[in-house]
Structures are given as C-alpha cells and as structure tokens.
Amino acid sequence: MKTPFKNIEQVLRLNRWVVLSVVIVSGLVCSVSIMVVVKIHQNGLDHAFVVNGEGEVIPLQWVAQRQHLEVEALAHLEQFHSWFYGVDAGSYEGNMERALWLGNASVAEVYQQKKADGFYNRLLQYSLVQKVERIESKIEMEGGMMAFQTRMVLQIHRGSVTDTYELVTSGHLIQVERNFPHNPHGLLITDFFENSLRKLEAYESPKE
C-alpha cells in the first residue's frame, strides 16, 4: 500500500509557522538576556568596590555618599561660622539664635563665655562690626563622627579703625534629623572649641 503524499501547501504552511515560532522565541530569549545583562551591570556598579589609601575595601556607593556628606559638612560649617562670628550691634542676637541651632551645648558654652567676658556689651557700646572675610575648613572622618578644624580671617571695624585676626576653631560633627529651616544639613557641631586667636598685622591668607 502506497503512503499518501501530504499536500505541498499544508507542508509549506506548517514550515512557515515553525519558522515564525522559532523567530519569536529567539527574539524573546534575546530580550530577556539583554535585560538580565543590564541588571547585572547596574547591580555591579552599585556594589563596585575601591581600595582606600589604608588598604581598606570600600563600596563605591559609600564613597559617593561620603563625598556628598563632606560637601554638606563644609556648607554647615561655613554657615555656622558666618552666623556665629559675623555680627554687629543690630544682627548679633538673630545670628546667635540661628547659629545655636547648628551646635550642641558646647557651642552655647562658648557663646555664654563670650557674653560673660563682655564681648557683646562692647559690640553694642562701641557699635563694633565683626565680619568674616574668609573661612577654610578641613574634615576628617572618624567612624560615625567627623572631626573638623576651621580657620577664619575676621575683621573688626571700629569706625575708621580695622583690626584683622585669624581664629582657629575645632570640634566634631554628628548626623541628626534635618530640621528646615533651622538645620537643613542634618548635622550638629559638638566639642566646639576656639583653639587660637592671633592678630594679623596685614591681611594675609590663613596658614596651613
């Protein structure tokens, strides 16, 4: 008995569907593969590592976060010192109120000591104007805290007389909850201390 031949049209139609199915499945597999590769690449970037100068391995994402934190810390220190030391008879009370939001009791103690020494009374009595001409801060990361040292050039104007000083302060910064507008950077100055104050005979850049 002879085997009947299939209709050539049916065979071609079947082959077409088989080829079309293979093309569709191949396209889906390629798309999924590309998505997986992109995800793995992105995951690798988020978890990339670098080696610091001390030989410690640090996630690259932490490095970016640390850089952002340092920028905010520098801005916090500049704002604090501008308010705390840039004062005159008409603005010192408002500046002190704003500055005290940026530090803990150690800042309040320095303020109270200046008040007890009569600095603000002289400010009012002689209409003194103290301006911050330059601020330079250095920050060192210490675990969960940041140590800082800030050098400033201050000018005290008494009428036509101007005296220039270099003041060095130090302390630590810790992270706290952000409080806009009082503490937008979410940092708090602790262990605040005025290390040295010297008069500059002529305007000069703070020494390193």
Side-chain angles (χ1 to χ4, degrees):
M1 182 176 180
K2 293 183 178 181
T3 302
F5 292 100
K6 295 183 178 179
N7 187 297
I8 188 67
E9 185 178 350
Q10 293 179 345
V11 173
L12 292 176
R13 185 181 295 112
L14 178 61
N15 288 343
R16 184 175 62 183
W17 282 110
V18 170
V19 172
L20 184 60
S21 300
V22 171
V23 171
I24 292 175
V25 171
S26 299
L28 290 175
V29 171
C30 290
S31 299
V32 172
S33 299
I34 292 173
M35 292 175 62
V36 171
V37 170
V38 171
K39 185 175 181 180
I40 292 174
H41 176 68
Q42 187 63 46
N43 190 56
L45 289 178
D46 290 341
H47 296 84
F49 293 87
V50 294
V51 179
N52 66 9
E54 300 175 355
E56 298 175 340
V57 179
I58 303 175
L60 195 60
Q61 189 176 30
W62 291 5
V63 174
Q65 291 176 351
R66 174 171 173 165
Q67 291 174 344
H68 294 159
L69 182 58
E70 289 182 356
V71 170
E72 291 213 55
L74 291 172
H76 186 88
L77 291 171
E78 183 170 353
Q79 186 65 82
F80 166 77
H81 286 88
S82 296
W83 281 338
F84 197 77
Y85 293 102
V87 294
D88 56 46
S91 69
Y92 90 89
E93 289 183 340
N95 283 5
M96 289 304 107
E97 183 179 354
R98 287 188 286 267
L100 290 174
W101 276 96
L102 306 183
N104 70 351
S106 63
V107 173
E109 289 175 3
V110 174
Y111 167 64
Q112 292 298 332
Q113 183 61 50
K114 286 179 174 292
K115 194 173 183 179
D117 291 342
F119 173 76
Y120 299 109
N121 286 336
R122 292 193 297 274
L123 193 74
L124 295 172
Q125 183 177 357
Y126 299 108
S127 298
L128 303 181
V129 177
Q130 180 171 278
K131 292 184 177 181
V132 179
E133 295 295 324
R134 185 169 180 175
I135 300 174
E136 291 183 356
S137 296
K138 293 183 179 180
I139 298 173
E140 293 184 2
M141 308 294 274
E142 297 180 352
M145 299 180 66
M146 291 177 286
F148 74 85
Q149 184 180 78
T150 299
R151 294 178 182 270
M152 288 173 292
V153 171
L154 303 174
Q155 288 190 338
I156 299 179
H157 300 271
R158 294 191 297 269
S160 60
V161 179
T162 299
D163 293 324
T164 305
Y165 297 87
E166 180 191 71
L167 174 66
V168 179
T169 66
S170 63
H172 290 86
L173 287 167
I174 60 174
Q175 291 184 278
V176 296
E177 290 292 330
R178 297 178 188 268
N179 183 349
F180 185 83
H182 301 300
N183 191 338
H185 297 109
L187 296 168
L188 194 70
I189 295 172
T190 65
D191 307 318
F192 184 64
F193 186 72
E194 294 182 342
N195 299 79
S196 64
L197 177 68
R198 70 185 183 96
K199 187 175 182 179
L200 303 178
E201 296 303 325
Y203 189 93
E204 59 185 77
S205 299
K207 296 181 180 180
E208 297 296 331

